[in-house]
Amino acid sequence: MLAKRIIPCLDIKDGMVVKGVNFVGLKNVGDPIEIAKRYDEQCADEVVFLDITATYENRDIIKDLIQRAASELSIPLTVGGGIRTLDDFRMILSSGADKVSINSAAILNPQLIQQAADEFGVQCVVVAIDAKMRDDQSGYDVYMAGGRKNTGLDLITWVQQCEQLGAGEILLTSMDKDGTRDGFDIDMLNAVLDVVSIPVIASGGCGNQEDIVEVFEKTNCDGALAASLFHYQEATIDDVKALCASHHIPVRRN
């Protein structure tokens, strides 16, 4: 069995890691490279940089960060936020990132998934999906624009299309669970895992180490993404991996 991945996510604004609630009251908390290096030392399997205010003007900032990260980190780097074109993919990958994550751009132009996979390889293409249970409990809708707009797309239909187009991985965030810190959305994850064969990363709802153990015990997801748990130093990645190992969950350790 492949080792499960533990993945910290860093929200970045104007070149600094920020913390807040629903993007309100954001505060700078440190240099992303220094924080990512700490996670590297703790044996994180990879790290995600999410440029939460991505604009054309910010591109030089994120390019510099990627180049610094590539020179100082030993773990893979995924970059997301504001990617719209193949040229954006090219810039991010040529700067040293290992993967590119797209969300709204994939919905607006699904062929971008296929174009990127054809040009750079499926292993570089991560489709991030924000989804929420419908009011009538009949399934899940896909949202875009940072979770502000319901696209009307059915989650199950969309993940199958993403895989067919060449996505190498799905980063699945449950909007119902995001920010609650009461555990991952097990039902949503299993609904997606039942219909795709590519890796799925769980996101949204992680509040403690036990939540990560639970998601690996109750689903076949390939990795778990968390932010506050690690940023607030409530647990280290080493702590999480030790707990997973004690539950016979395969993880990569020093």
Side-chain angles (χ1 to χ4, degrees), residues 81-234:
I83 290 96
R84 298 176 181 87
T85 67
L86 277 182
D87 283 341
D88 292 334
F89 267 85
R90 191 173 293 108
M91 181 277 286
I92 290 169
L93 293 171
S94 65
S95 297
D98 299 274
K99 304 177 190 176
V100 176
S101 173
I102 53 175
N103 188 329
S104 295
I107 294 166
L108 294 171
N109 177 20
Q111 291 308 308
L112 180 61
I113 301 171
Q114 184 171 12
Q115 292 164 358
D118 288 345
E119 181 154 343
F120 306 111
V122 295
Q123 77 284 350
C124 296
V125 183
V126 179
V127 177
I129 300 174
D130 300 325
K132 185 177 182 179
M133 174 75 79
R134 296 187 195 107
D135 290 340
D136 64 3
Q137 311 286 300
S138 64
Y140 305 93
D141 284 330
V142 174
Y143 285 69
M144 60 179 283
R148 293 184 294 274
K149 180 178 179 181
N150 186 346
T151 66
L153 280 172
D154 175 72
L155 173 63
I156 302 306
T157 302
W158 178 232
V159 294
Q160 290 174 305
Q161 185 179 358
C162 290
E163 180 174 29
Q164 290 165 1
L165 288 167
E169 190 166 282
I170 298 293
L171 173 57
L172 181 63
T173 299
S174 166
M175 294 174 62
D176 295 308
K177 288 285 192 171
D178 196 44
T180 65
R181 305 200 71 186
D182 65 357
F184 294 97
D185 195 328
I186 303 298
D187 291 341
M188 178 187 286
L189 284 160
N190 280 326
V192 167
L193 287 158
D194 282 345
V195 298
V196 298
S197 58
I198 56 177
V200 174
I201 307 302
S203 172
C206 182
N208 54 50
Q209 300 179 69
E210 289 75 17
D211 290 336
I212 295 177
V213 169
E214 180 188 45
V215 79
F216 289 142
E217 288 185 333
K218 294 185 177 180
T219 80
N220 288 320
C221 71
D222 293 78
L225 183 143
S228 296
L229 178 68
F230 300 130
H231 295 344
Y232 291 119
Q233 300 184 47
E234 296 166 5

